[in-house]
Amino acid sequence: MLPPETVAQIADELAEADRAHTVIPRITARYPDAAIEDSYAIQRVWRDRMLASGRRLVGRKIGLTSKAMQQATGISEPDYGVMFDDTVYENGSVIDSAQFSNVRIEVELAFVLKEPLEGPHCSLFDVLRATEYVTPALEILNSHIELEGRTIVDTISDNAAYGGMVTGGIPMRPDQIDLRWVSALLYRNETIEESGVAAAVLNHPATGVAWLANKMHHHGDRLEAGEIILAGSFTRPMWVSPGDSVLCDYGPMGTITCRFS
């Protein structure tokens, strides 16, 4: 385990990189013995400082839950991070790309909870019972650590590369649609760049939420009623630049649009 002062130092570096929209050297290059538990410790220190500054936690993101994402990043297991109220955008938003680093878009489903979820034995069926509705969502990736050679330790420390979320489309209860077969077409500037089906997320997107509840139990935490859970991308990340327009068509679940300035 990294000593507490090193954990705090790295959390400070990441907070400054977030503020300045810059990138820091890989943690694993400087601390090759850093483990996954160290990375979650760094993330928790960073999270607590953000909360102390007045930001409000509204949910969690799960990453690397599909083979497409694992192959795109070279990382072979899921991770998670936290989402704050000032990172959630409405459908049709114009988003300032300068506030992010290494900006990419992922296609996801978001679960809004009506009941708490807690491990260690949370199942897919527990998730479906606790979910008020599921809605289309795009995740904006925001990496503050150099991408080349990064490992899951680097990614988790950097709040699982979460930058923001755009919600839209048509919210539905879990019993209104077969969530495995939700599909999406992701456009950049009127051209389809990515497509996928939600079953690519651990065979069912609710499985990712169950994984998260069980993983958080090991860290003494749980998912609370009202939280928004991004269940993981079922496409590869799509790079975006200033001036790009983005549209994602979820078929029966509607569309999401946004533009980056």
Side-chain angles (χ1 to χ4, degrees):
M1 296 289 289
L2 294 177
E5 56 270 23
T6 302
V7 169
Q9 171 208 320
I10 297 171
D12 285 341
E13 290 181 29
L14 289 167
E16 175 58 23
D18 186 41
R19 186 195 66 78
H21 317 308
T22 55
V23 175
I24 68 171
R26 279 187 299 116
I27 295 167
T28 48
R30 294 179 287 160
Y31 304 97
D33 295 330
I36 286 179
E37 288 308 310
D38 294 313
S39 61
Y40 279 116
I42 293 165
Q43 186 190 122
R44 286 193 294 272
V45 171
W46 176 85
R47 175 201 67 191
D48 291 345
R49 289 179 179 173
M50 296 299 103
L51 291 171
S53 72
R55 300 178 78 178
R56 182 172 63 88
L57 191 148
V58 294
R60 324 276 173 151
K61 65 120 339 158
I62 313 167
L64 307 175
T65 52
S66 69
K67 285 295 183 183
M69 281 304 302
Q70 291 177 1
Q71 290 170 357
T73 60
I75 297 170
S76 60
E77 62 180 290
D79 62 4
Y80 73 87
V82 296
M83 305 190 303
F84 296 109
D85 56 337
D86 56 355
T87 66
V88 179
Y89 297 89
E90 294 182 354
N91 201 359
S93 291
V94 177
I95 300 167
D96 180 9
S97 58
Q99 64 186 303
F100 304 112
S101 304
N102 297 305
V103 191
R104 289 146 291 155
I105 290 288
E106 293 180 348
V107 174
E108 313 205 10
L109 292 175
F111 288 67
V112 180
L113 301 181
K114 60 183 177 181
E115 301 169 6
L117 279 174
E118 190 167 7
H121 304 298
C122 182
S123 71
L124 178 151
F125 304 107
D126 296 323
V127 173
L128 296 177
R129 281 191 293 265
T131 299
E132 184 174 5
Y133 58 87
V134 180
T135 188
L138 299 178
E139 181 180 355
I140 305 168
L141 294 182
N142 182 31
S143 297
H144 301 108
I145 296 176
E146 59 182 352
L147 299 182
E148 184 68 29
R150 65 181 173 156
T151 72
I152 193 168
V153 170
D154 300 294
T155 305
I156 294 169
S157 301
D158 192 21
N159 195 33
Y162 173 77
M165 174 178 64
V166 186
T167 59
I170 303 169
M172 292 187 177
R173 297 188 313 272
D175 61 356
Q176 287 182 287
I177 191 168
D178 186 344
L179 294 172
R180 299 172 305 147
W181 286 103
V182 173
S183 60
L185 303 173
L186 180 62
Y187 294 76
R188 180 181 58 208
N189 303 328
E190 293 78 50
T191 299
I192 296 177
E193 298 287 349
E194 294 290 341
S195 62
V197 179
V201 176
L202 299 173
N203 300 316
H204 193 296
T207 305
V209 182
W211 173 88
L212 176 60
N214 292 326
K215 185 73 172 180
M216 288 177 61
H217 174 77
H218 296 303
H219 299 145
D221 204 354
R222 72 173 189 175
L223 299 172
E224 301 293 346
E227 285 198 45
I228 306 167
I229 313 301
L230 275 176
S233 180
F234 49 95
T235 66
R236 294 174 300 179
M238 181 182 76
W239 287 89
V240 291
S241 302
D244 283 345
S245 62
V246 174
L247 181 146
C248 193
D249 185 349
Y250 286 76
M253 292 193 78
T255 62
I256 302 175
T257 63
C258 61
R259 183 168 62 83
F260 287 83
S261 64

